Amino acid sequence: MRARPFAAAVLAALLLVACRGGPDAPGADPQRAGGPEAGNSAAGASGTGPSGTTGTDTTKLERAREHLKHLVFIVQENRSFDHYFGTFPGADGIPMRNGRPTVCAPDPITDRCLPPYRTIRQLQQGGPHNQHFSQVDVNGGKMNGFIKAAVQGPIYCADHRDDPRCANAYLGPQGQPDVMSYHTRRTIPNYWRYAKEFVLQDRMFAPADSWTLPAHLYLVSAWAARCARPFDPMSCASNLELLEEANLMRERADIPIWAWTDITYLMHEHGVEWAYYVGDDTCTFEPCPGGAGPERTVSQQNPLPWFTTIRQTRQMDRIQRHSDFFDAAADGTLPSVSWVMPYNGVGEHPKAGEPIWKGQRHVTRVINALMRGPDWEETAIFLTWDDWGGFYDHVRPPRVDRNGYGIRVPGMLISPWARAGFIDSQTLSFDAYLKFIEDLFLSRERLNPRTLSRPDSRPTVREKVQILGDLLKGFDFGQEPLPPLILDPRP
């Protein structure tokens, strides 16, 4: 007797979906029609939380393995989510009422609480961004210590607001240090276009409460540590400062530093090809023939040559140049996993003294090359920034261990199989990238001391953290593939 009402309800639901989700719906793009894959709602497909596994998830993973042969991770520098996307429609951005921020940060110099402000300037100074200043910024979850941190930094214009050079370039309308600034589509149009046409991730957290080097260590290994003995992976203990190690890297010391096991070790065991692309003039170890050219990637963005594993597996040749990347993208010879690092002046680091359009131009050229190449329909691009750079963000980062998560950063998924216009609000971090690599190419093996053939002393298996989301949610493998979106690198 209940079959008839149930059938009517199902029919009504199907009609509602058809009316709302078809390619002819208002605002729909006929070229990019195709809704989210069945069973993959914003609440998650599994019904067991972001890390859960069911038959539905497994089926989608199998489809991902069929469709995706190349993962590319583009990593820029030092911007928070609110700084770049704080007013992006539909995202968890800066709290506003009637177009005005309802949040503020106490200013120890003026004794006022100053709000975020919109900027059209291409240069910022940003703020200090190590473990200590992350704690100052977060301020026990109040997310209002950003000006205090800039003053303590010290950041010059935060302390010298009477200097005309500061007032005309690096301060807001109420004298705010530019850690409180935010951009809109006007200043970073290509980034906003990618976010609109593909997937914007508005809960992507930096992996650690610290700066560039720990972030990049997490990017390739899900940990940052100091090791007492470079050939003993059990001799390492968590550390987010690593200044001594950073100095050795800058001095181009040809010695192993990082003893724990990274993702390239697993890829070597599974026969998975990878490449880590750096600027063409990058010199890792002496001697450096030809002198120091302009396209140099700094060592803290290129930590793999100092991993013991890279030396033991003889994979140092997988550290390659940008020109190698562009050749591979054009020829259809990209490896399964690629990381693309910026060179000096295009990383968007505030202290580089270069306008952010140069970083956007670099990223656009990389993405255009991938979209023009024969591998586009088998590729997923992940674009992110390595840490928050001292800039304001209003979302308190969750704690998963003593090292993080860090303050929120922008994240995007760009792929022909991306859910167009989707805002992914799962809790994510760089650990989700490693988990995705492991799921697609490594038979779901984790960087877990209990299962590694080369166990280490890491305290947390980051890929298994319960709150970590699944990047699969951003894909729809049932849709028609999205066409390339070739943008002007300098709009």
Side-chain angles (χ1 to χ4, degrees), residues 31-38 63 67 197-199 376-377 413 415-422 474-483:
Q31 285 188 305
R32 299 199 165 179
E37 189 167 356
R63 299 191 75 182
H67 286 80
E197 301 292 343
F198 296 98
V199 174
W376 165 241
E377 288 200 5
L413 159 62
S415 173
W417 307 107
R419 294 170 59 180
F422 178 57
F475 293 92
D476 178 1
F477 298 111
Q479 69 184 12
E480 289 295 317
L482 303 180

Side-chain angles (χ1 to χ4, degrees), residues 347-406:
E348 297 164 59
H349 195 298
K351 289 188 177 179
E354 296 289 348
I356 57 178
W357 67 258
K358 289 188 176 182
Q360 182 179 246
R361 180 183 63 183
H362 159 71
V363 170
T364 303
R365 286 173 172 171
V366 169
I367 294 174
N368 283 350
L370 292 165
M371 289 183 171
R372 287 188 173 112
D375 292 331
W376 165 241
E377 288 200 5
E378 297 181 328
T379 297
I381 305 164
F382 296 92
L383 171 61
T384 193
W385 283 253
D386 60 8
D387 64 57
W388 81 109
F391 291 103
Y392 175 80
D393 194 85
H394 80 282
V395 175
R396 179 179 185 172
R399 302 302 303 176
V400 297
D401 57 27
R402 62 174 287 188
N403 288 351
Y405 295 142

Side-chain angles (χ1 to χ4, degrees), residues 214-263:
H216 282 75
L217 290 169
Y218 267 96
L219 179 70
V220 296
S221 73
W223 197 22
R226 172 167 288 162
C227 302
R229 296 177 296 280
F231 292 96
D232 181 0
M234 301 302 293
S235 72
C236 308
S238 295
N239 192 300
L240 295 183
E241 295 300 325
L242 303 174
L243 299 182
E244 295 176 16
E245 291 84 350
N247 285 334
L248 287 172
M249 294 165 67
R250 291 189 189 102
E251 292 167 0
R252 303 191 178 101
D254 190 0
I255 58 173
I257 296 175
W258 319 117
W260 68 93
T261 303
D262 65 280
I263 194 67

Side-chain angles (χ1 to χ4, degrees), residues 155-315:
I155 300 300
Y156 180 83
C157 286
D159 288 338
H160 298 80
R161 301 187 204 179
D162 293 335
D163 188 330
R165 293 172 298 175
C166 294
N168 295 330
Y170 297 109
L171 299 177
Q174 299 179 49
Q176 303 101 312
D178 63 20
V179 294
M180 300 302 292
S181 66
Y182 64 86
H183 291 273
T184 64
R185 179 174 57 186
R186 176 177 175 181
T187 46
I188 46 173
N190 288 5
Y191 290 154
W192 275 51
R193 183 73 184 278
Y194 292 136
K196 177 185 176 184
E197 301 292 343
F198 296 98
V199 174
L200 177 66
Q201 298 156 332
D202 69 354
R203 281 185 63 83
M204 172 64 74
F205 294 92
D209 289 325
S210 199
W211 62 295
T212 290
L213 176 56
H216 282 75
L217 290 169
Y218 267 96
L219 179 70
V220 296
S221 73
W223 197 22
R226 172 167 288 162
C227 302
R229 296 177 296 280
F231 292 96
D232 181 0
M234 301 302 293
S235 72
C236 308
S238 295
N239 192 300
L240 295 183
E241 295 300 325
L242 303 174
L243 299 182
E244 295 176 16
E245 291 84 350
N247 285 334
L248 287 172
M249 294 165 67
R250 291 189 189 102
E251 292 167 0
R252 303 191 178 101
D254 190 0
I255 58 173
I257 296 175
W258 319 117
W260 68 93
T261 303
D262 65 280
I263 194 67
T264 70
Y265 187 84
L266 285 183
M267 289 195 283
H268 177 74
E269 287 190 321
H270 287 259
V272 176
E273 293 188 355
W274 62 273
Y276 195 96
Y277 296 102
V278 297
D280 280 13
D281 297 318
T282 303
C283 177
T284 304
F285 303 123
E286 297 288 357
C288 297
E295 296 189 6
R296 290 175 288 114
T297 297
V298 295
S299 57
Q300 56 264 32
Q301 294 174 303
N302 182 28
L304 280 173
W306 288 272
F307 270 88
T308 304
T309 55
I310 296 290
R311 297 159 183 262
Q312 291 176 334
T313 58
R314 299 183 178 181
Q315 295 186 93

Side-chain angles (χ1 to χ4, degrees), residues 94-169:
I94 299 168
M96 298 264 191
R97 183 179 297 117
N98 298 323
R100 293 179 176 272
T102 59
V103 289
C104 61
D107 181 356
I109 290 181
T110 65
D111 290 326
R112 293 184 295 161
C113 198
L114 301 179
Y117 69 94
R118 177 175 175 264
T119 184
I120 59 172
R121 293 168 180 157
Q122 286 284 317
L123 296 174
Q124 281 86 46
Q125 289 191 326
H129 46 281
N130 58 22
Q131 188 173 25
H132 167 72
F133 285 111
S134 175
Q135 295 169 355
V136 174
D137 286 347
V138 172
N139 192 21
K142 296 178 182 178
M143 304 305 294
N144 66 359
F146 296 87
I147 298 178
K148 178 181 179 181
V151 172
Q152 290 180 354
I155 300 300
Y156 180 83
C157 286
D159 288 338
H160 298 80
R161 301 187 204 179
D162 293 335
D163 188 330
R165 293 172 298 175
C166 294
N168 295 330

Side-chain angles (χ1 to χ4, degrees), residues 274-280 282 316-325 328 335:
W274 62 273
Y276 195 96
Y277 296 102
V278 297
D280 280 13
T282 303
M316 197 75 77
D317 63 342
R318 305 317 300 160
I319 314 298
Q320 299 190 5
R321 308 299 186 203
H322 283 173
S323 55
D324 298 319
F325 165 80

